[in-house]
Amino acid sequence: MHILSRSHAWPILGPAQVRQLEPALQNLSATPLMQSAGMACAQLAMAVAPHARRIWVAAGPGNNGGDGLEAAVHLHQWGKEVVVSLIASPGSGPADAQAALERAQKAGVRIQNKVPDQWLQQMDARDLCIDALLGIGATRPLGADLRTCVQAMQNGWAPVLSIDVPTGLNPLSGQWLGGDSSHSADTLAVRADHTLCLIAVQAGLLMGHGRDACGQIWLDNLGYLHSEHSVPARAWLNTPYTTSPKPHASHKGSHGDVAVIGGEGMATQGMDMRGAAVLAATAALHAGAGRVILSLLSGQASDNAPPDVMQRKFKRLELEKLHVVCGCGGGSAVQSVLPEVLRRSAQLVLDADGLNAVADDNALQQALRQRATLQTALQPTVITPHPLEAARLLGCNTQQVQNDRLKAAQELAERYQCAVVLKGSGTVIAAPGRTLRINTTGNGRLAIGGTGDVLAGLVGARMAQGLNGFDAACVAVAQHGQVADDWPSGEGLTASRLAQKLV
């Protein structure tokens, strides 16, 4: 068992894949799998709450509840005062869970079918609650009994250890079960201090509300090794980007030319959006692109662009030789240049208003797909939508995208034949023929205007430095989030300062 490290590419499995693995893992040991899971939970409970006197186990009717019962047996035998609230009908549930109940009863564990309110009031921060209510099979809103248990955990002083997934969280999406993802503060769900993943990590812990609900993630693979089992990973954890010095013999032409096209002027719609394009250009510059060219759709030069950035009119750009970042602050003006950008650009990062224009125009959609036939580089296009832009491109709504971010990213990649960065909590990176990546760097500080423009410029710089679209997206997303994670706590993060911190 170990803490989930973001420095390693861990495989991410779905509930169906975990169930597919269970028979093979059971054959690896004479100990029943549920008993091994219960032992892992009990050991972690002792590690995170070594001075606990009271441990409350809230157990549901399925295998997750069986894991909790097995943990209760060990904790009881180790001298802890354990109470189990079993939220299940007598005789119901899987055979393994029924066997776990019998073992707990024979061991003398105190088991009841309700929340021990008075007993819980005696618990303090040294004690522990174990959430074993639902697990990876959860798909429906919580019933009254489960809600009572969750409310008790929320109101108590004791920290919470969830088994597999905090109750109330969708294990696939990281959204609340049956709830509106936009009202997280009003949602009744377990906010765990620790979550123990058994066999593999679920995607929902790494995206959406899962990143706030799961606390510290622990993993006990119970014998599962990706290299020794035939079940393919649904996704992989995105690994950090590490910088390396430029070779001494390199020159500015060795690191590619990035052209940023965007920045509609005040005259078009009464809003000056040149700053978005300047941010993307600044990011590409600081990330080490050999040369950066800014082409503003306003037709006017920017006084705020770094002096190192060249400014050039769109008609004078040699798109066939450039790594183009298009759409940042493009407004409606980007529509007039997109056909040429899609047809001629050697490599392309399409963001913001560029994506909105494509979503509204079937001809532009076809032009985007046709870029996959270019021979200049593998996956010569990266699109970087946030959930609303992704919904427009897919012809659905934002909630549908958020309910299955992995599916949405993969569908975008297949439909438009390009690499995709689906931004948000737990950014997903996809490309045709590649296994999805889920990124875990970054935090809420990035939820401000302009940080997406910075990311687009960073992706463009990495492509200019020789990476294909998918790999450039993976390293750029990881680095973008890591800079925010490393930001000094006493300093405000702005998009312009973020761009200047890139290397």
Side-chain angles (χ1 to χ4, degrees):
M1 185 191 311
H2 46 261
I3 291 176
L4 187 74
S5 170
R6 296 190 305 199
S7 63
H8 294 83
W10 297 102
I12 312 300
L13 303 183
Q17 294 166 302
V18 169
R19 294 190 187 98
Q20 184 181 346
L21 277 168
E22 286 174 350
L25 296 177
Q26 182 57 75
N27 292 334
L28 296 177
S29 173
T31 303
L33 198 62
M34 186 170 287
Q35 291 184 27
S36 297
M39 174 60 82
C41 180
Q43 290 174 333
L44 181 57
M46 294 294 288
V48 300
H51 304 296
R53 297 168 298 168
R54 299 177 181 86
I55 297 178
W56 176 45
V57 180
N63 287 331
N64 199 249
D67 295 340
L69 286 163
E70 292 288 358
V73 171
H74 296 294
L75 293 167
H76 173 74
Q77 292 172 341
W78 296 340
K80 299 299 181 181
E81 184 180 349
V82 180
V83 173
V84 175
S85 293
L86 182 59
I87 311 302
S89 302
S92 65
D96 287 349
Q98 288 300 307
L101 174 59
E102 293 175 6
R103 281 170 46 80
Q105 290 170 332
K106 290 180 180 178
V109 176
R110 180 182 167 188
I111 301 172
Q112 55 189 55
N113 60 3
K114 61 181 181 179
V115 174
D117 293 315
Q118 293 184 348
W119 187 80
L120 290 179
Q121 291 175 8
Q122 302 174 43
M123 296 178 68
D124 58 31
R126 295 171 297 177
D127 298 321
L128 184 69
C129 299
I130 297 179
D131 165 25
L133 289 168
L134 289 182
I136 63 175
T139 57
R140 294 179 293 181
L142 305 182
D145 289 343
L146 295 179
R147 291 177 65 85
T148 299
C149 289
V150 172
Q151 190 71 64
M153 290 184 201
Q154 284 191 348
N155 293 340
W157 290 99
V160 178
L161 165 61
S162 289
I163 302 178
D164 279 325
V165 179
T167 296
L169 185 76
N170 187 309
L172 289 171
S173 67
Q175 301 302 302
W176 304 125
L177 288 174
D180 183 346
S181 65
S182 65
H183 296 91
S184 59
D186 301 326
T187 302
L188 187 62
V190 170
R191 270 68 166 183
D193 298 276
H194 302 271
T195 297
L196 172 61
C197 296
L198 298 169
I199 300 178
V201 179
Q202 295 296 305
L205 300 182
L206 307 173
M207 62 178 65
H209 301 299
R211 297 188 66 190
D212 295 314
C214 67
Q216 177 64 62
I217 300 176
W218 300 76
L219 174 64
D220 192 312
N221 62 18
L222 300 182
Y224 165 64
L225 297 173
H226 177 76
S227 59
E228 297 180 8
H229 293 85
S230 59
V231 176
R234 190 167 187 230
W236 288 88
L237 199 65
N238 196 34
T239 52
Y241 170 73
T242 54
T243 58
S244 56
K246 293 181 178 180
H248 289 288
S250 64
H251 52 84
K252 62 184 178 182
S254 305
H255 305 286
D257 295 343
V258 174
V260 177
I261 302 169
E264 184 178 72
M266 180 75 75
T268 306
Q269 298 186 81
M271 182 180 295
D272 189 342
M273 297 190 289
R274 291 179 295 172
V278 171
L279 285 171
T282 304
L285 179 71
H286 283 268
R291 289 177 292 196
V292 180
I293 303 167
L294 178 61
S295 181
L296 292 171
L297 298 175
S298 66
Q300 301 171 333
S302 170
D303 296 332
N304 296 323
D308 321 69
V309 172
M310 296 178 283
Q311 300 193 51
R312 188 174 298 173
K313 293 183 178 180
F314 176 75
K315 291 182 179 180
R316 299 193 60 187
L317 295 177
E318 296 181 88
L319 296 175
E320 293 84 357
K321 300 179 181 179
L322 295 170
H323 305 84
V324 176
V325 178
C326 182
C328 301
S332 60
V334 77
Q335 297 173 7
S336 63
V337 301
L338 260 184
E340 199 168 351
V341 167
L342 290 167
R343 180 172 56 86
R344 293 175 50 205
S345 299
Q347 291 189 321
L348 174 63
V349 180
L350 197 59
D351 185 45
D353 291 319
L355 297 174
N356 292 328
V358 168
D360 290 337
D361 190 320
N362 290 333
L364 293 178
Q365 293 174 24
Q366 182 60 25
L368 176 56
R369 284 189 287 267
Q370 288 175 343
R371 287 186 51 77
T373 63
L374 296 177
Q375 300 301 312
T376 53
L378 182 64
Q379 294 152 357
T381 310
V382 179
I383 63 175
T384 56
H386 56 54
L388 178 56
E389 292 161 347
R392 291 168 178 159
L393 289 166
L394 291 172
C396 62
N397 60 52
T398 305
Q399 191 62 45
Q400 289 172 301
V401 170
Q402 294 293 72
N403 283 344
D404 197 338
R405 289 171 56 81
L406 297 184
K407 178 183 177 183
Q410 192 65 63
E411 187 175 342
L412 283 168
E414 297 296 339
R415 180 176 297 192
Y416 295 104
Q417 289 296 295
C418 61
V420 176
V421 175
L422 178 54
K423 296 183 287 193
S425 175
T427 292
V428 181
I429 306 104
R434 304 293 294 266
T435 303
L436 297 162
R437 298 279 184 88
I438 301 176
N439 189 70
T440 58
T441 61
N443 55 64
R445 285 184 165 191
L446 292 173
I448 56 173
T451 57
D453 304 310
V454 172
L455 177 60
L458 178 55
V459 175
R462 297 296 171 236
M463 292 178 77
Q465 291 160 348
L467 296 179
N468 66 58
F470 180 75
D471 291 337
C474 288
V475 300
V477 169
Q479 182 185 8
H480 183 260
Q482 191 61 55
V483 173
D485 288 339
D486 294 340
W487 205 266
S489 59
E491 295 183 16
L493 187 154
T494 64
S496 57
R497 296 182 68 192
L498 179 70
Q500 294 166 11
K501 287 279 189 179
L502 299 174
V503 292

